[in-house]
């Protein structure tokens, strides 16, 4: 799915099937269980209601793959404390005023959602120091980006 009509057209010109739509409106046009897997790649933090979309993702798909920048990464925190403004990094390359990120969240925020939802993490990975590895307990401060596979319990 792609909200930008030009990007959707570019995808179809490359042979990639795409549906031009706005995810903030939900996935109501898809029946329950329509897909085996739904992927939300660096999307949640850009949506007006990310937790609604997580529910929709697991309504229409048996599993979900979610990736997101971790706003609790230690470099982000240090930069915020040291400079007193939202950081601009390689993984978060935009200033606060031109970023699509309207709901910054952390790995721990996501884990809290999992704990309070009827959801379990099937697999998890983090990007840390340039390497991808299985998710670890200390990754709330060490992961620059997180990828998790979730499903309903």
């Amino acid at each position: 799915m792609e909200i930008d009509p030009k990007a959707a057209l570019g995808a179809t010109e490359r042979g990639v099937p795409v549906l031009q739509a706005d995810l903030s409106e939900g996935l109501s046009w898809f029946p329950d269980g329509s897909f085996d897997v739904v992927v939300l790649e660096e999307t949640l933090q850009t949506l007006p209601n990310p937790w609604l979309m997580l529910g929709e993702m697991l309504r229409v798909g048996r599993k979900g793959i979610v990736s997101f920048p971790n706003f609790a990464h230690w470099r982000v925190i240090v930069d915020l404390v040291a400079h007193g403004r939202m950081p601009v990094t390689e993984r978060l390359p935009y200033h606060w005023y031109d970023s699509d990120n309207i709901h910054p969240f952390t790995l721990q925020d996501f884990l809290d959602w999992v704990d309070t939802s009827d959801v379990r993490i099937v697999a998890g990975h983090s990007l840390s120091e340039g390497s991808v590895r299985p998710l670890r307990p200390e990754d709330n401060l060490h992961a620059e980006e997180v990828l998790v596979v979730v499903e309903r319990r």
Side-chain angles (χ1 to χ4, degrees), residues 46-95:
T46 68
L47 298 173
N49 193 338
W51 308 130
L52 173 67
M53 181 49 58
L54 286 167
E56 281 286 275
M57 173 187 72
L58 291 173
R59 180 186 65 77
V60 302
R62 288 188 303 117
K63 290 186 180 178
I65 299 174
V66 181
S67 72
F68 55 90
N70 179 27
F71 286 86
H73 182 262
W74 70 268
R75 284 191 190 109
V76 172
I77 293 170
V78 167
D79 198 44
L80 179 61
V81 171
H83 301 287
R85 62 177 62 94
M86 292 303 292
V88 177
T89 68
E90 183 180 331
R91 290 272 170 235
L92 302 169
Y94 303 102
H95 294 281

